[in-house]
Structures are given as C-alpha cells and as structure tokens.
Amino acid sequence: MSTTTQAFTRTDAEWRQMLTPEQYRVMRGHGTEAPGSCALDHEKRAGTFVCVGCDQPLFRSGFKFNSGTGWPSFNDPIDGSVASTVDRSHGMIRTEVHCSRCESHLGHVFEDGPPPTHLRYCINGVAMSFMPD
C-alpha cells in the first residue's frame, strides 16, 4: 500500500454537490454501505474499478474475488492507488483504506484473503465506478 500525500482537494460543499448522499456518507464520513447493496459486487467483466471522487484507477478486475461478504473484494490494488490508516472505531482495530489521491474512504483491508497476497480489500461499491476494457 502507498502512503502518498493528498494531491487532490475539494471543499466540503463541492463534495456534497458531486456525490450522492450515500456516497458522501461513505467516502467523506467514513461510513459503510449495506452488504449486498451494490451491483459492483457482482461485476465480472474485464476492466478497472476507479475512485468516484477523483477517477483514480484503484483495482483491476483480475484481482477481484467473491469473498461472500457482500462487498466487492480484491487481493491487490493498483500500485500507489490506495493508502491506509489505523481505524479504531467500533471498539476494534482495523486498517482503513482510502484513495491516495483524494483521500476518500474506500473500505478496509484484512489479512484473510486468498493467495498469493492473503489480503482482502473489502471496498464499498458506492466509492467506485467500473470502466470496462
């Protein structure tokens, strides 16, 4: 994971104008969408998942897998596309994943994924759009 600094900014008013209320709640408020609520969990075409906030490519479809959790899951991001922070909310310690360009909250990464990385990037679908090849 990358730890690049913020290179893209918007005012809160601009974020609220460009994002849906659900996207704003998740991406700017560090929320979580309901499991099974996003069609991207079922996306199987070849392509790239990009950040809704800044269009940065985040994950390639070849690294997506069905984790059975109800959220799109990947075992490796595009190099430099995500950064992480420690999330101590909800009485637990997790690794939060956010876009390295606009710092929007994407989801969390866990160490229970499949080989070869054994990582599971559990990503909110509303934080991404899909660009087919």
Side-chain angles (χ1 to χ4, degrees):
M1 285 181 286
S2 171
T3 56
T4 60
T5 58
Q6 183 176 357
F8 184 95
T9 59
R10 293 188 198 280
T11 65
D12 186 62
E14 290 170 328
W15 283 116
R16 288 182 184 277
Q17 184 175 23
M18 75 164 287
L19 300 174
T20 68
E22 176 70 351
Q23 288 171 324
Y24 182 86
R25 184 185 71 77
V26 169
M27 297 173 70
R28 306 312 299 170
H30 302 265
T32 300
E33 68 187 355
S37 66
C38 181
L40 288 183
D41 190 29
H42 305 289
E43 180 60 65
K44 298 187 184 322
R45 295 175 291 171
T48 305
F49 294 84
V50 302
C51 177
V52 168
C54 67
D55 294 325
Q56 174 164 253
L58 300 170
F59 299 95
R60 302 235 189 270
S61 60
F63 291 99
K64 185 175 181 288
F65 64 94
N66 183 355
S67 65
T69 61
W71 291 280
S73 296
F74 306 85
N75 58 354
D76 210 12
I78 293 172
D79 195 33
S81 67
V82 301
S84 64
T85 56
V86 175
D87 176 0
R88 297 185 193 289
S89 65
H90 306 291
M92 61 184 112
I93 299 174
R94 303 178 289 177
T95 302
E96 177 192 357
V97 177
H98 55 271
C99 175
S100 65
R101 182 185 295 162
C102 71
E103 295 190 343
S104 289
H105 171 76
L106 301 172
H108 293 86
V109 61
F110 304 95
E111 295 180 354
D112 61 0
T117 66
H118 300 282
L119 297 175
R120 175 175 53 94
Y121 286 83
C122 188
I123 306 299
N124 291 289
V126 297
M128 301 183 296
S129 60
F130 180 73
M131 307 298 291
D133 285 347

